[in-house]
Amino acid sequence: QVQVVESGGGSVQAGGSLRLSCAASGRTFSRLAMGWFRQAPGKEREFVTAITSSGGVTRYADSVKGRFTISRDNAKNTVYLQMNSLKPEDTAVYYCAASAIDHYGPFNSWGQGTQVTVSS
């Protein structure tokens, strides 16, 4: 079983930046693909970005391409989400998830989420 814990959420004005972190334990981190998802109020959870176990391949939702960057440090068992040029529509609870298969999932180990609020 993989335990996942997010941190780094907060409130920021539009155009600002935040960096989220996600620490995973319970399984060899370097063998896990990792992803970030988000859920805005009244909406379904949606995919944001994912990265392969080695960090060599990433994929992004169209809505965040060019603004968000996913990265990982396997020595620290941590994956990061750098969010730049934030928009009010990025407001959501952000979830980190792990996949033992690949960066297309399935993602079956989830964190509790961290709130990101972007004000206009």
Side-chain angles (χ1 to χ4, degrees):
Q1 188 70 13
V2 178
Q3 291 77 47
V4 178
V5 179
E6 306 95 339
S7 61
S11 297
V12 65
Q13 289 191 328
S17 298
L18 280 175
R19 188 175 84 154
L20 306 183
S21 299
C22 170
S25 61
R27 193 162 178 172
T28 303
F29 182 74
S30 61
R31 295 181 180 178
L32 297 171
M34 301 296 294
W36 287 95
F37 295 76
R38 66 187 182 186
Q39 187 167 19
K43 296 186 177 181
E44 294 187 354
R45 188 176 298 184
E46 65 175 2
F47 168 78
V48 176
T49 180
I51 190 168
T52 54
S53 57
S54 67
V57 179
T58 58
R59 65 185 186 104
Y60 295 89
D62 288 344
S63 58
V64 306
K65 279 181 182 176
R67 300 188 299 121
F68 290 12
T69 303
I70 189 171
S71 62
R72 65 189 295 159
D73 185 339
N74 284 350
K76 295 182 178 180
N77 289 1
T78 301
V79 63
Y80 304 97
L81 179 61
Q82 178 67 44
M83 304 185 293
N84 298 328
S85 301
L86 282 161
K87 305 175 181 180
E89 51 263 43
D90 294 319
T91 295
V93 177
Y94 282 71
Y95 297 91
C96 180
S99 171
I101 307 302
D102 68 18
H103 65 306
Y104 283 91
F107 293 90
N108 45 27
S109 296
W110 294 81
Q112 293 300 306
T114 185
Q115 177 71 46
V116 171
T117 302
V118 184
S119 59
S120 57

